Amino acid sequence: MPFTDVKEDAWYYEAVLYAMQEGYFKGVTATTFAPESKLSRAMAVTVLYRMAGEPEVTGTVTFTDVKEDAYYYQALVWAVENGITTGMDDTRFAPNANVTREQMVTILYRYAGMKDADLTARGDLSGFPDGDQVKDYAKEAFSWAVGAGIIQGAVNGGVTTLAPQSGSTRAQ
């Protein structure tokens, strides 16, 4: 592990090590991973694009806040072409915005579907005090993520919540 900010006893140590070794994630520097830093929407699509083997893309996107020379441009084109993500609206992708937990599980759900993964697992969102705060577009994906054990909740003040509108971290 080249990252001095990822300790062996951290809950995310093995996942970061695996993602780094596979080339899915890179550090923010040669020696830091920044596990508690925000995961941006651009980073999220880039990681999945790398996981997919960085397939060649030929299309374009027309979001006004995305430049063709951006590091994530090919990943975004791929993600849009494959129905993995959409913009915040018809003209903006918001690449530097923190991807929310409900956006992330929705993106993962769509990616898993593209990969023909089993999407039948379901979890009961009503068991979480904020389960009713999951937006309609993300309910099926969140239920799958809970049922599949991908999301186990976030502990806030001793209470386990889904925190659907909270931002995702690089460790998550």
Side-chain angles (χ1 to χ4, degrees):
M1 175 66 71
F3 306 125
T4 58
D5 57 350
V6 178
K7 304 298 182 202
E8 282 190 56
D9 61 348
W11 65 267
Y12 48 79
Y13 180 86
E14 292 297 325
V16 170
L17 182 62
Y18 175 80
M20 184 258 324
Q21 288 174 334
E22 294 296 319
Y24 304 150
F25 259 96
K26 297 180 179 172
V28 296
T29 71
T31 59
T32 57
F33 184 76
E36 298 304 322
S37 293
K38 74 176 187 173
L39 179 69
S40 72
R41 291 171 50 81
M43 286 180 210
V45 296
T46 300
V47 168
L48 292 178
Y49 179 62
R50 289 174 181 157
M51 289 174 64
E54 299 183 70
E56 188 173 328
V57 296
T58 56
T60 60
V61 293
T62 58
F63 298 118
T64 58
D65 58 352
V66 173
K67 293 185 178 359
E68 284 190 41
D69 62 350
Y71 79 89
Y72 57 85
Y73 186 79
Q74 296 296 310
L76 179 58
V77 170
W78 167 83
V80 169
E81 285 179 346
N82 286 284
I84 294 169
T85 194
T86 60
M88 298 298 283
D89 56 40
D90 289 342
T91 61
R92 292 178 318 110
F93 178 67
N96 297 317
N98 193 187
V99 65
T100 66
R101 288 168 56 88
E102 68 186 358
Q103 289 170 351
M104 193 68 235
V105 297
T106 301
I107 290 168
L108 286 173
Y109 181 71
R110 292 172 182 162
Y111 175 79
M114 183 197 81
K115 291 298 208 173
D116 294 324
D118 180 4
L119 299 177
T120 59
R122 292 292 178 262
D124 183 9
L125 302 184
S126 69
F128 296 88
D130 58 350
D132 62 341
Q133 294 175 22
V134 176
K135 292 180 183 162
D136 287 343
Y137 81 87
K139 284 182 180 175
E140 185 175 338
F142 237 117
S143 176
W144 165 76
V146 169
I150 295 168
I151 294 285
Q152 297 165 358
V155 179
N156 293 320
V159 177
T160 302
T161 64
L162 294 174
Q165 284 84 41
S166 293
S168 298
T169 65
R170 289 172 51 87
Q172 293 170 336

